[in-house]
Amino acid sequence: MLTVERAKTTMETIGLDLASMPRVPLAASHVARLREVGREARYRAGDIVAEAGQPMDRFIYVVDGEIEPLDPTTGTRPINATLGPTQFAGELSFLAGGAWGLAMRSVCETRTIEVDRPVMLGLMREIPELSDHILTVFAARRRRQFEAGASSLVLIGEDTDPRVQSVAIFLNRNRIPYRSVQLGTAEGEHAARACAIQPPRPAVVFGRNEELVDPTPLSVARRLGLDIAICDHEDIDVLVVGSGPAGVAAAVYAGAEGLSALVIEDTAIGGQAGTSSRIENYMGFPTGISGADLVFRGQIQAMKFGTRFAMPHRVTKLEQGDNGALCVTIDGETSFCVRSVVIATGVQYRRLPIDRLEDFEGAGVYYAATEMESRLCGNSEAIIIGGGNSAGQAATYLARSAGHVHLVVRADSLAASMSDYLRRRLEADPAISIHYRSCVRSLHGDGWLQCVTLEGPGGRHEISTRALFVMVGAAPNTSWLPPCVSLDGKGFVKTGTEVGAAFPHATSHPLIFAVGDVRASSVKRVASAVGEGSVVVSEIWSVLNS
């Protein structure tokens, strides 16, 4: 039997490796500015400098002494590292005003300079060298905490409960640190006992004894301070709906041009691109990068320029207000007005007409193949429906963890639907079987997917599996749009000369624009989506200034 050794692939990620980064102190001139705008604070040994779950409302620079991270559930350091003189506390949540994921405690007598968050963000915009230094460290810290699961947020039994699993998927795709423990383990027993969850059951827990009674992505986002409040009197120049490559590119350029921008996302940063485990043909990343990490980097840039992100929220209504502004309603509740809207909602994989498919969604049926889903595969067989690049990338990624990967394709070849380099890679991999002229006929299982019936040239046969990935079809997310926005016969947004608009990305409404995959005449590629999101801001400038 042929044995294939799979070397761990080195891809670009959301930040540098903190362990290998040289320790570089802030410049003396930057520290002097911190002293000018901040205040000095003193802590005794054992004092809590920052509570887990509290807003990250100030920048903390250590003058002398030592601060350690603290896991409130164990009372110990979750990471073997402390902060000493010339170092500063915090990670990327600081940009959005999120909550501390871990408590911070002084190890000895400690003196700090502390700057209120709004003042510090202004200082970072004023001094780019200071901003670059802080963002580099913040991103590296986020990466380390995410990879180590260093957080006060604990998920118990995510592999057995669809609700807890939906929270895990939201956290993973947004690169938010959390710790996962399995039921039936000593760690799981301890986490459940701390919250008086007896007998132990699937749950989402924050800190030592706080259980989130109704665990949903939105409730977790609110607990972590990621859900921003939107006032109806705010002056918002640009509302970007969707945070895929096109939407985040628009967010970066809008913020850089001084526009007040807000991004609304209903699932996770990255859109459909965020479900891609590896993108190798995007310029500038020769070793590849996951779609989620690529777009997450863009989000950091956008937040650096002042753009805000609100998630998970869905725009449910868009209409023209009496004052000429556009009125937006999110989640059917909150309404506010904006000066312009960018539609960047992209596309989603179509729900196939397979019996019981909906029953198993989140319980063995998935529409993304990220690190989270690969863990759920375990060593069982994985089945992917689709013949495009996303399906091919998912197959090569899942082949590293699944027992075997089956790619189900209706056509008799991949030549017309998949990049040549990817097709050749799949055909050469003994851990991947390609089933041409085939389809999935039925699903079987009791509460969780256990088996799939496949039909092909040789008839029908069953494959035991716990994971089916649907990556076929492209349905535009446009059902929420008002009649004043013209769509083509497939539901994609018509722009430019098709609707007599003055700009290539303008729709049939002069204040509403469309970019990326949701646009009728766009090229469905990550690079072109980023380009459209970048260009549309200049068009918006022209309209708003006129």
Side-chain angles (χ1 to χ4, degrees), residues 419-436:
S419 295
D420 183 69
Y421 81 92
L422 195 52
R423 176 178 60 82
R424 291 176 183 273
R425 189 176 297 170
L426 297 183
E427 293 171 344
D429 196 329
I432 300 172
S433 296
I434 305 175
H435 302 265
Y436 293 110

Side-chain angles (χ1 to χ4, degrees), residues 366-510:
Y366 307 104
Y367 296 88
T370 65
E371 187 271 338
M372 168 74 195
E373 289 81 12
S374 72
R375 290 207 316 266
L376 298 172
C377 285
N379 292 316
S380 69
E381 311 226 339
I383 299 174
I384 302 170
I385 302 175
N389 278 3
S390 294
Q393 290 158 350
T396 59
Y397 181 71
L398 294 172
R400 297 187 298 175
S401 57
H404 195 81
V405 175
H406 300 268
L407 186 65
V408 182
V409 185
R410 277 192 174 274
D412 55 10
S413 169
L414 292 172
S417 60
M418 188 178 292
S419 295
D420 183 69
Y421 81 92
L422 195 52
R423 176 178 60 82
R424 291 176 183 273
R425 189 176 297 170
L426 297 183
E427 293 171 344
D429 196 329
I432 300 172
S433 296
I434 305 175
H435 302 265
Y436 293 110
R437 300 188 299 280
S438 301
C439 63
V440 171
R441 283 300 180 193
S442 56
L443 311 178
H444 316 279
D446 182 15
W448 200 283
L449 182 67
Q450 296 173 334
C451 182
V452 164
T453 298
L454 204 65
E455 184 176 36
R460 294 191 178 192
H461 66 282
E462 293 186 348
I463 299 177
S464 296
T465 182
R466 284 177 53 84
L468 170 68
F469 298 86
V470 180
M471 297 186 164
V472 64
N477 293 310
T478 54
S479 60
W480 58 280
L481 290 173
C484 64
V485 177
S486 297
L487 309 178
D488 69 6
K490 296 181 179 179
F492 290 88
V493 181
K494 294 162 67 173
T495 59
T497 55
E498 280 191 287
V499 290
F503 299 100
H505 302 96
T507 69
S508 49
H509 189 291

Side-chain angles (χ1 to χ4, degrees), residues 160-181:
T160 62
D161 185 272
R163 287 201 311 165
V164 178
Q165 190 180 109
S166 71
V167 171
I169 291 172
F170 169 76
L171 296 170
N172 264 278
R173 288 189 58 190
N174 287 292
R175 300 301 189 255
I176 300 169
Y178 74 98
R179 184 159 57 95
S180 178
V181 297

